[in-house]
Amino acid sequence: MVTAVVFIVVAAALIVVILVGAGVRIVQQYERGIVFRFGRVLPETRGPGLALLVPFVDRMHKVSQQIVTLPIPAQDGITRDNVTVRVDAVVYYRVVDPVRVAVDVQDYASAILQVAQASLRSIIGKSELDDLLSNRERLNQGLELMLDNPAIGWGIHIDRVEIKDVVLPESMKRSIARQAEAER
């Protein structure tokens, strides 16, 4: 009789520990937790620390709010003055609305990369070679505006965009060197 009662008490305690363990999550300082209850997102996000969930009912999706450095692979393009160039850049962005990022866009990092590549090709086509080489600050700002427009709707803020390198074809390098030598 006593052993049956002890067994029941131990089993009940074990079940309580398992249920409490299933409902506790840790959210890091740089993350926010989005809770889905039966598939519907709850309006408030969970901040850093322990987050208590209803076991087997709630699911938590964590979203990092750190600044992400996203390199844009080199894009080939033809400038407005018909020079073929290869340009690469880097985008710095961060999540400002974790609920929108989790619900509105499936893979926000890939979406930002695709928009950045298309915008970089567009900037190359609208610019002249001299602008690409000398007015990078203005081109960076224009690229940032082109990226920021769709990103705001996804809950992402573009902190900065930098054009890293502009590579000219060898024939263009030689003709620029010849022209510079002739001017001297």
Side-chain angles (χ1 to χ4, degrees):
M1 178 73 179
V2 173
T3 58
V5 171
V6 169
F7 178 73
I8 292 173
V9 169
V10 169
L14 187 61
I15 290 172
V16 167
V17 167
I18 290 172
L19 286 176
V20 168
V24 175
R25 300 286 185 279
I26 296 175
V27 179
Q28 300 296 328
Q29 181 69 38
Y30 57 86
E31 296 175 324
R32 294 299 174 264
I34 293 97
V35 178
F36 292 91
R37 181 165 291 157
F38 295 119
R40 181 175 289 174
V41 69
L42 297 180
E44 71 278 349
T45 60
R46 304 292 169 94
L50 283 177
L52 299 176
L53 305 174
V54 179
F56 310 111
V57 173
D58 291 345
R59 299 282 179 247
M60 180 181 284
H61 178 74
K62 295 178 186 175
V63 176
S64 175
Q65 291 193 306
Q66 292 176 312
I67 292 178
V68 177
T69 305
L70 179 69
I72 304 171
Q75 301 294 308
D76 289 324
I78 299 175
T79 61
R80 198 165 57 181
D81 50 355
N82 293 325
V83 177
T84 303
V85 292
R86 175 172 272 226
V87 180
D88 62 344
V90 64
V91 177
Y92 300 92
Y93 70 90
R94 63 187 172 87
V95 173
V96 291
D97 189 350
V99 174
R100 285 181 114 177
V101 163
V103 175
D104 290 351
V105 66
Q106 184 177 10
D107 183 2
Y108 65 91
S110 177
I112 290 293
L113 179 63
Q114 295 302 316
V115 170
Q117 287 176 331
S119 299
L120 184 58
R121 282 191 297 271
S122 176
I123 285 284
I124 292 170
K126 292 178 182 176
S127 303
E128 293 186 1
L129 181 61
D130 289 341
D131 289 340
L132 283 175
L133 297 174
S134 61
N135 293 334
R136 285 198 188 172
E137 231 8 83
R138 187 178 57 81
L139 293 175
N140 290 341
Q141 290 171 352
L143 197 52
E144 184 176 337
L145 286 173
M146 290 176 79
L147 286 173
D148 212 21
N149 196 21
I152 287 174
W154 298 334
I156 297 170
H157 172 70
I158 304 296
D159 281 341
R160 212 163 90 203
V161 180
E162 295 285 333
I163 293 176
K164 290 193 317 185
D165 195 17
V166 177
V167 179
L168 300 172
E170 286 301 318
S171 61
M172 182 57 71
K173 288 180 186 176
R174 284 192 295 268
S175 65
I176 289 174
R178 272 187 252 130
Q179 181 182 357
E181 188 177 318
E183 288 176 0
R184 277 188 238 131

